[in-house]
Amino acid sequence: MQQTISARDASQKLLAWYDRHHRDLPWRVSPPMAKAGVTADPYHVWLSEVMLQQTTVQAVKPYFHKFLSLWPRVSNLAAADTEEVMKAWAGLGYYARARNLKKCAEVVAREHGGIFPDSEDGLKALPGIGDYTAAAIAAIAFNRRSAVLDGNVERVISRLDRIETPLPAARTQMRARVGEMTPAGRPGDFAQGMMDLGATICTPKRPACALCPLNHGCLAFRAGDQEDFPKKPVKKARPLRVGAAFVASRADGAVYLRKRAEDGLLGGMTEVPGTAWTARKDGGITLDARPFEGDWEDCGTISHVFTHFELRLSVYRAEVCARNDSANGWWEPLASLEAQALPTVMKKAIARALPHAFSSAISPSVNEGTPE
DNA sequence: AAGACGTGGGC
DNA sequence: TGCCCAAGTCT
């Protein structure tokens, strides 16, 4: 059994590294001010943490600014139209986060007087806030000594202690270790420092161990097998589903849209009419789901990868002279298409049928299919 | 408690 | 090209 680094030693080295190498991020109060007692705005911390769930910093930045511009305070978000929130979130993915974000804002505004709870338990009771986010907000915005454990920290800890237990079973052990390392003085900086270390030095591939402030005490580094940690379960294959999408346009350029169910995949988002997405690709695509009678032209296919399946969508286009809406959809003018709550897969389908629909030309890079 | 739940970027 | 990955939560 090798010697592991002491919690206090690791904690001090990490904070010293963070003081010199921290990232400057829009939602963050950097060390000099943080050490002077300035804490970040809980609304900003919460908003950024929810956006950052399973999402990269680069992807989050523009959305963070857009949300703050649209809704400067949590009370404004609480009073907003949910549809507007979904439009603003479109493209970020994991849309349940947006639905829960809105619900959480309403609870904070209505039940907490617009002030976020300052305890881990109080925060965790809110929609969309789980173990990680509750601890992060408590530590960063309220200076609570909470053990923050996310993917970055898991990677750092698993290598530091060379933990052979695979995730997620190893989390109990990891949480305990982070708990003893978290300093009472600067819990927020420590949490952010661990995440910065994981994001910039202790990376999944080819970590820069030579630059790591904890390398001397890192058991995996000493053994030379740091890339083998953390141990993860084997992932399942991603099945293929197929379906059809129907892009109906009007003479004036308007496109026919409808709203998806509130729950489940892309819940509460906007779509073009289409078939269900089924597991098999034989049997042909039925055109029963087309919203209007008309001369439907085959535009080929698009592919889109979701977390648990891949979708191959046959896209059809028709110009229809429809004076009345069928079902529950509406005609959206071409000019305002971009601002709708359209998930990326739907923008791809529309761009396939109407190449000029979006100004910022989403390059249909995944459109291997040609009309047959 | 394992599966559902998006997207874009890196290699 | 295809696989892996990114500050998780909910059921």
Side-chain angles (χ1 to χ4, degrees):
Chain A
M1 184 65 177
Q2 301 183 63
Q3 180 75 46
T4 59
I5 189 171
S6 79
R8 183 196 339 201
D9 192 11
S11 165
Q12 289 178 167
K13 286 187 158 79
L14 191 279
L15 280 174
W17 176 85
Y18 182 69
D19 285 341
R20 283 186 61 80
H21 301 288
H22 64 88
R23 292 176 292 177
D24 286 313
L25 299 172
W27 45 85
R28 178 177 281 184
V29 170
S30 292
M33 296 230 295
K35 285 197 281 193
V38 179
T39 50
D41 185 328
Y43 174 52
H44 295 189
V45 175
W46 164 71
L47 183 60
S48 66
E49 290 301 342
V50 173
M51 287 181 166
L52 286 162
Q53 290 166 7
Q54 300 290 283
T55 308
T56 58
V57 165
Q58 182 185 329
V60 164
K61 279 181 179 173
Y63 284 86
F64 178 77
H65 288 122
K66 173 163 59 174
F67 269 67
L68 276 195
S69 166
L70 254 17
W71 304 291
R73 297 181 311 195
V74 67
S75 56
N76 302 318
L77 186 57
D81 185 24
T82 299
E83 185 58 26
E84 296 306 308
V85 176
M86 301 313 285
K87 287 179 182 175
W89 194 277
L92 243 201
Y94 283 140
Y95 298 100
R97 290 184 297 171
R99 287 178 262 137
N100 285 330
L101 191 83
K102 177 71 166 82
K103 287 181 196 162
C104 183
E106 289 170 357
V107 173
V108 170
R110 177 167 12 94
E111 298 177 19
H112 299 275
I115 309 293
F116 278 88
D118 64 359
S119 71
E120 212 173 320
D121 286 347
L123 288 160
K124 197 168 151 25
L126 267 13
I129 299 185
D131 289 336
Y132 161 73
T133 304
I137 298 173
I140 297 167
F142 297 114
N143 214 35
R144 297 279 189 149
R145 193 172 169 283
S146 300
V148 175
L149 185 64
D150 76 326
N152 288 306
V153 182
E154 286 171 1
R155 196 163 52 251
V156 173
I157 296 294
S158 69
R159 289 171 176 171
L160 203 58
D161 289 350
R162 211 164 168 279
I163 294 173
E164 296 282 0
T165 311
L167 291 169
R171 290 213 177 99
T172 304
Q173 180 186 349
M174 294 178 176
R175 200 183 311 281
R177 183 72 153 124
V178 182
E180 64 173 17
M181 286 173 58
T182 303
R186 302 172 62 191
D189 281 354
F190 176 78
Q192 294 175 99
M194 288 289 276
M195 293 190 278
D196 279 15
L197 188 70
T200 64
I201 303 290
C202 195
T203 51
K205 308 279 183 57
R206 303 186 56 104
C209 299
L211 304 178
C212 181
L214 307 182
N215 59 9
H216 178 72
C218 180
L219 296 187
F221 175 60
R222 287 195 220 164
D225 57 0
Q226 57 271 202
E227 282 196 60
D228 296 336
F229 297 89
K231 301 292 185 185
K232 291 183 175 178
V234 294
K235 44 254 163 199
K236 291 180 45 184
R238 210 190 314 261
L240 175 68
R241 294 188 197 173
V242 298
F246 302 99
V247 181
S249 63
R250 216 206 237 160
D252 65 359
V255 174
Y256 192 71
L257 301 179
R258 55 147 81 140
K259 192 174 191 296
R260 291 177 64 89
E262 293 297 334
D263 295 317
L265 187 69
L266 309 177
M269 299 296 284
T270 298
E271 67 173 2
V272 295
T275 66
W277 301 341
T278 62
R280 285 286 291 150
K281 78 169 285 188
D282 61 316
I285 299 297
T286 64
L287 299 185
D288 299 344
R290 57 209 203 288
F292 303 100
E293 296 299 322
D295 185 15
W296 289 93
E297 175 189 353
D298 185 346
C299 301
T301 65
I302 60 147
S303 286
H304 190 77
V305 179
F306 292 97
T307 306
H308 55 298
F309 68 92
E310 178 179 350
L311 178 66
R312 179 126 65 234
L313 213 46
S314 297
V315 179
Y316 296 85
R317 160 182 67 205
E319 187 172 307
V320 303
C321 37
R323 53 185 79 87
N324 56 330
D325 304 357
S326 83
N328 39 26
W330 70 91
W331 288 98
E332 187 65 41
L334 203 50
S336 51
L337 210 50
E338 183 108 62
Q340 297 309 298
L342 288 164
T344 297
V345 62
M346 289 300 155
K347 287 191 173 180
K348 279 190 197 173
I350 294 170
R352 181 74 173 161
L354 307 169
H356 306 298
F358 301 104
S359 54
S360 60
I362 297 176
S363 75
S365 53
V366 229
N367 59 351
E368 67 290 340
T370 49
E372 296 156 31

